[in-house]
Amino acid sequence: MTYQKDDAALMAYCIDDSIINCQGGNVYAVVQDNTYANRMMDHFPLLADIQVIRELPGRAEKGDTFIIIGFSDFASAIIKQLSQTQVYRILLVDDSDGVEVHKSCILRPQRLSRVRSASHISRHGMKRPYWNETLLALSLACSIAPQPEIAKGGELSFSTYLGLQDFDQSNCYGDCILISEDVD
């Protein structure tokens, strides 16, 4: 059971959002050379209008968009370099997002964005990506063995401290969507 979309859905969303919302400049995916980022690259569409790079280009244009795929230390270093000139947008994906990364901006891009899962789960009042979903997933994992699941039409439901939670046939939380938001 998962409260967030899988990596394929995450990458498809990030790519589509970057292409649709670009300002006519190039769209780059800056990818760290590690197992995590390389696994994320497996989900890139073959014909996407994106340039996949491991290092920043010699010159960034004002209308360019950069998707950062990697860990937060990599993202911090890239943003420090990248934000020495003005660019249109930097989009942080999954593990590249973090407070220390946001603070690495020298010149803030027109848009500093991230993608996060969103649902009606807001009991804990945290807007950090995956915070509420992670707490609920841990709670569900701790209580899954002693309680029976309820099956209905290929979907599963589990009773949790936030009430009945429904999961679709792919074992994804039924009310989970991906959203792009700008970081204040």
Side-chain angles (χ1 to χ4, degrees):
M1 305 297 122
T2 179
Y3 281 94
Q4 59 200 41
K5 298 291 186 188
D6 65 17
D7 291 343
L10 175 64
M11 292 314 304
Y13 182 92
C14 291
I15 291 165
D16 290 346
D17 186 71
S18 295
I19 292 171
I20 290 167
N21 293 303
C22 78
Q23 294 293 297
N26 292 313
V27 178
Y28 296 95
V30 187
V31 183
Q32 187 174 14
D33 191 11
N34 64 17
T35 305
Y36 161 74
N38 290 332
R39 189 180 69 240
M40 296 298 272
M41 289 300 304
D42 290 342
H43 303 293
F44 257 62
L46 293 176
L47 301 175
D49 193 15
I50 288 185
Q51 297 179 48
V52 178
I53 56 177
R54 298 284 183 178
E55 295 177 10
L56 292 176
R59 179 174 159 83
E61 300 296 327
K62 194 169 186 171
D64 290 347
T65 295
F66 292 85
I67 305 168
I68 301 180
I69 303 168
F71 295 137
S72 59
D73 58 338
F74 172 77
S76 290
I78 291 295
I79 282 185
K80 220 171 249 177
Q81 278 183 273
L82 192 56
S83 66
Q84 290 178 30
T85 58
Q86 190 75 50
V87 296
Y88 171 64
R89 186 181 189 200
I90 298 172
L91 177 64
L92 301 169
V93 179
D94 201 21
D95 288 357
S96 68
D97 185 35
V99 176
E100 72 279 4
V101 177
H102 307 164
K103 291 178 181 174
S104 294
C105 283
I106 295 171
L107 289 175
R108 211 157 161 84
Q110 194 169 338
R111 294 181 65 189
L112 176 62
S113 308
R114 67 182 174 199
V115 171
R116 70 178 179 94
S117 68
S119 64
H120 71 273
I121 301 168
S122 59
R123 174 174 177 155
H124 305 288
M126 295 292 282
K127 284 195 165 186
R128 287 170 40 196
Y130 308 120
W131 176 264
N132 295 312
E133 294 81 3
T134 300
L135 289 182
L136 195 50
L138 289 170
S139 166
L140 182 62
C142 289
S143 63
I144 206 165
Q147 66 177 333
E149 67 271 6
I150 304 160
K152 58 179 182 182
E155 296 183 357
L156 293 174
S157 297
F158 294 89
S159 182
T160 71
Y161 71 96
L162 287 183
L164 207 58
Q165 303 291 299
D166 296 320
F167 296 85
D168 65 21
Q169 293 167 333
S170 301
N171 295 322
C172 184
Y173 180 55
D175 190 33
C176 176
I177 60 170
L178 291 164
I179 63 166
S180 164
E181 64 183 4
D182 290 340
V183 177
D184 297 327

